[in-house]
């Protein structure tokens, strides 16, 4: 059977390639989760590398991704940015996410304004895709780089963080805003070679702490792990499970998740940028254990998680997210009243020339996307300009529609980096109606499909 499958692959010209997982945007430090309200959806939260920078100093924000089949992904866009965190000045480095007492949390690190030292920030949302609202930083955490928030089965929250060859942990108070000082532990000596980036998962009653480290102090980072009977240790060092590999980044960082019955390790490499060490992309491979519960080392594979030729991502960018997602709402409002609407909100009240909504799409390289807009316009047709990066892409009359529907505008070109899509009220023809914009979609298309 295996032979036949190999033959089929050779003759059909198919080769499976699901790594890198996201090929349209540079992403790093993946934090994978399955939330309790939907076991059929896998979420991955990432930091974002700026195209062209090839260093970590200019990192400014985070993205959320979701999938049900590990082939077709949704990029929910920017979910938190330095601009949305008034105590921070730079270094939007690694983060984690958690579901806790009915809300979703993003726990992240940024450098504190005027001080320049890492703090561990907490932001909250009532939906997994964000955007997240900053609540401040966790008190009692110094040098709070690379936080991981682990909620144990008994509901107790634990924070782990790692910075420059050190790793610490503590139980958090129930509001997640401060540690319980009496629980604080220094795990550094238990985690041989540790450099940063701790992540904890639980399997068969044991706590696995995975982390990037240097042997001895030699870059690039490899991934190691240690195991304990209690979340705060003591941890027993086990060894390396992702060694050096071709095309790796200077750093490595990641986490594990169980999805559809399989254990998966998400981490990062520099494959998408062609080996630019600090311009990274998310990778994923299955994680297996031996009969004693030891992690079987992972060899980063081109195939990744599946049997599809490649992954495909659609950017699903909600109009109402505005500034929190890098966009803008100019003299328009967010509403939900249109009959049958069930989302978080749409943008409406385009009643003056220049009223507009702008939506940010971040991509790694110049590429083509299929562009769609979901709208309703119950009172009649409505005239608008659609601008992409300040150029008029289309002057368009949105037809009257009582209900929300998608218009497919065909293929558009996006440039490397930040792209702003603006839907703009212009007085070139009077409108009868007032549109409501729900979202835009930008679907990845590949050269061989054009
Ligand atoms: O992504 C920026 C930094 O690089 C992270 O915080 C570290 O863990 C390393 O991956």
């Amino acid at each position: 059977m295996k032979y036949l499958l190999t033959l089929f692959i050779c003759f059909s010209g198919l080769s499976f390639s699901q790594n890198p997982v996201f090929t349209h945007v540079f992403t790093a430090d993946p934090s994978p989760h399955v939330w309790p309200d939907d076991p059929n959806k896998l979420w991955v939260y990432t930091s974002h590398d700026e195209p062209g920078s090839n260093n970590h100093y200019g990192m400014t924000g985070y993205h959320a991704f979701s999938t049900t089949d590990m082939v077709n992904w949704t990029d929910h866009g920017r979910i938190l940015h330095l601009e949305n965190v008034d105590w921070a000045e730079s270094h939007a480095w690694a983060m984690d996410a958690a579901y806790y007492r009915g809300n979703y949390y993003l726990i992240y690190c940024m450098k504190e304004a005027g001080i320049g030292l890492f703090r561990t920030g907490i932001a909250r949302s009532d939906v997994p895709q964000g955007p997240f609202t900053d609540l401040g930083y966790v008190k009692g955490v110094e040098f709070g780089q690379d936080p991981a928030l682990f909620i144990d089965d008994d509901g107790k929250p634990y924070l782990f963080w790692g910075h420059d060859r050190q790793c610490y942990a503590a139980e958090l108070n129930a509001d997640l805003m401060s540690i319980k000082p009496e629980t604080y532990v220094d795990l550094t000596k238990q985690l041989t070679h540790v450099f940063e980036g701790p992540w904890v998962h639980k399997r068969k009653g044991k706590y696995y702490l995975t982390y990037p480290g240097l042997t001895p102090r030699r870059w690039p980072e490899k991934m190691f792990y240690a195991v304990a009977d209690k979340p705060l240790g003591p941890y027993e060092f086990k060894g390396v499970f992702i060694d050096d590999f071709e095309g790796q980044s200077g750093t490595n960082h990641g986490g594990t998740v169980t999805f559809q019955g399989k254990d998966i390790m998400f981490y990062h490499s520099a494959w998408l940028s062609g080996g630019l060490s600090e311009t990274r992309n998310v990778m994923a491979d299955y994680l297996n254990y031996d009969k004693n519960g030891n992690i079987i080392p992972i060899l980063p594979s081109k195939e990744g998680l599946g049997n599809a030729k490649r992954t495909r991502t659609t950017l699903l960018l909600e109009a109402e997210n505005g500034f929190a997602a890098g966009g803008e709402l100019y003299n328009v409002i967010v509403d939900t009243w249109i009959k049958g609407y069930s989302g978080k909100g749409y943008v409406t009240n385009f009643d003056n020339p220049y009223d507009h909504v702008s939506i940010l799409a971040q991509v790694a390289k110049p590429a083509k996307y299929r562009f769609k807009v979901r709208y309703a316009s119950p009172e009649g047709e409505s005239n608008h300009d659609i601008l992409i990066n300040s150029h008029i892409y289309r002057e368009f009359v949105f037809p009257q529609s009582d209900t929300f529907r998608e218009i497919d505008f065909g293929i558009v070109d996006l440039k490397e980096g930040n792209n702003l899509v603006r839907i703009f009220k212009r007085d070139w023809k009077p409108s009868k109606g007032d549109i409501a914009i729900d979202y835009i979609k930008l679907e990845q298309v590949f050269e061989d499909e054009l």
Side-chain angles (χ1 to χ4, degrees):
M1 187 63 198
K2 204 170 171 188
Y3 173 73
L4 282 178
L5 186 65
T6 314
L7 268 185
F8 169 74
I9 291 168
C10 292
F11 286 106
S12 65
L14 259 185
S15 70
F16 301 149
S17 179
Q18 288 185 223
N19 271 327
V21 180
F22 311 124
T23 53
H24 69 292
V25 63
F26 293 121
T27 49
D29 308 318
S31 157
H33 292 275
V34 174
W35 301 126
D37 61 340
D38 190 354
N40 295 317
K41 197 172 265 190
L42 171 61
W43 290 87
V44 179
Y45 299 82
T46 72
S47 49
H48 174 242
D49 283 339
E50 299 290 338
S53 69
N54 201 29
N55 68 55
H56 304 324
Y57 307 116
M59 293 172 71
T60 54
Y62 305 104
H63 278 234
F65 300 84
S66 65
T67 185
T68 54
D69 60 9
M70 299 184 288
V71 174
N72 298 290
W73 289 85
T74 299
D75 175 356
H76 298 273
R78 200 163 96 179
I79 56 170
L80 185 76
H81 187 269
L82 270 174
E83 290 172 358
N84 314 121
V85 181
D86 57 12
W87 54 265
E89 67 180 13
S90 66
H91 287 70
W93 282 15
M95 49 49 259
D96 188 13
Y99 178 77
Y100 181 68
R101 298 189 172 185
N103 280 297
Y104 299 87
Y105 289 87
L106 198 70
I107 185 146
Y108 56 92
C109 58
M110 291 179 182
K111 288 200 170 178
E112 186 179 357
I115 304 210
L117 295 178
F118 272 112
R119 292 283 186 192
T120 295
I122 289 264
R124 186 171 56 206
S125 174
D126 57 358
V127 289
Q129 68 270 25
F132 289 80
T133 304
D134 176 60
L135 302 174
Y137 58 75
V138 182
K139 306 295 176 299
V141 176
E142 306 232 317
F143 305 110
Q145 189 197 317
D146 288 7
L149 178 53
F150 172 73
I151 313 290
D152 207 348
D153 299 334
D154 60 6
K156 284 188 183 163
Y158 295 91
L159 180 67
F160 297 79
W161 66 102
H163 167 88
D164 198 9
R165 304 179 177 91
Q166 293 153 67
C167 184
Y168 304 98
E171 191 184 327
L172 287 173
N173 283 307
D175 65 358
L176 307 181
M177 295 309 299
S178 58
I179 63 165
K180 293 185 174 177
E182 68 282 10
T183 66
Y184 174 89
V185 285
D186 181 348
L187 298 175
T188 308
K189 289 208 171 73
Q190 300 161 31
L191 307 177
T192 309
H193 307 310
V194 69
F195 192 77
E196 54 190 359
W199 170 277
V200 172
H201 71 278
K202 193 174 183 180
R203 179 180 183 267
K204 297 190 174 173
K206 298 269 187 205
Y207 298 84
Y208 287 70
L209 198 162
T210 57
Y211 56 94
L214 303 177
T215 51
R217 306 195 166 196
R218 181 181 67 78
W219 294 86
E221 290 175 334
K222 306 172 199 285
M223 293 298 295
F224 297 90
Y225 77 108
V227 176
D229 292 323
K230 289 183 289 182
L232 296 178
Y235 278 89
E236 181 193 348
F237 176 67
K238 289 292 195 176
V240 67
F241 73 102
I242 305 182
D243 210 328
D244 292 346
F245 62 97
E246 205 168 322
Q248 78 185 102
S249 145
T251 61
N252 205 341
H253 187 125
T256 64
V257 70
T258 306
F259 181 58
Q260 295 175 346
K262 291 191 169 152
D263 296 313
I264 303 170
M265 178 74 200
F266 281 85
Y267 57 102
H268 65 229
S269 76
W271 289 7
L272 183 64
S273 63
L276 284 176
S277 178
E278 315 311 341
T279 306
R280 300 159 297 172
N281 55 264
V282 165
M283 305 274 287
D285 278 291
Y286 290 110
L287 179 75
N288 293 301
Y289 300 83
D290 69 17
K291 61 179 183 340
N292 298 319
N294 299 313
I295 296 179
I296 297 174
I298 290 172
L299 295 175
S301 75
K302 188 162 156 271
E303 295 76 14
L305 298 180
N307 53 9
K309 185 176 168 189
R310 59 189 162 215
T311 57
R312 183 190 305 272
T313 304
T314 295
L315 288 77
L316 172 62
L317 305 170
E318 299 283 349
E320 76 276 10
N321 288 347
F323 177 60
E328 188 192 5
L329 304 184
Y330 181 82
N331 206 27
V332 287
I333 60 167
V334 174
D335 217 327
T336 55
W337 67 267
I338 292 179
K339 205 169 160 218
Y341 182 77
S342 60
K344 287 272 291 178
Y346 52 75
V347 171
T348 191
N349 210 36
F350 294 80
D351 52 4
N352 287 300
Y354 309 113
D355 290 358
H356 60 261
V357 54
S358 299
I359 301 171
L360 176 71
Q362 294 191 295
V363 304
K365 301 175 182 184
K368 296 193 183 301
Y369 292 80
R370 181 167 289 281
F371 173 49
K372 295 179 178 171
V373 178
R374 186 168 193 259
Y375 86 102
S377 192
E379 287 146 23
E381 64 183 33
S382 190
N383 313 301
H384 292 265
D385 288 352
I386 301 175
L387 284 76
I388 299 183
N389 295 326
S390 308
H391 299 293
I392 295 190
Y393 163 69
R394 279 288 270 278
E395 297 178 339
F396 190 71
V397 181
F398 284 88
Q400 189 277 340
S401 180
D402 288 333
T403 54
F404 279 89
R405 52 181 284 225
E406 272 183 8
I407 300 245
D408 183 345
F409 285 97
I411 305 296
V412 296
D413 287 297
L414 295 188
K415 66 178 171 71
E416 168 186 301
N418 289 350
N419 292 267
L420 218 51
V421 177
R422 177 171 289 182
I423 299 174
F424 187 88
K425 175 80 175 176
R426 196 176 139 211
D427 235 3
W428 54 274
K429 196 174 163 208
S431 290
K432 296 194 189 95
D434 177 21
I435 47 166
I437 303 289
D438 190 18
Y439 59 65
I440 66 164
K441 268 186 187 167
L442 291 154
E443 297 170 359
Q444 250 186 321
V445 284
F446 298 92
E447 287 295 323
D448 58 5
E449 297 169 333
L450 292 168

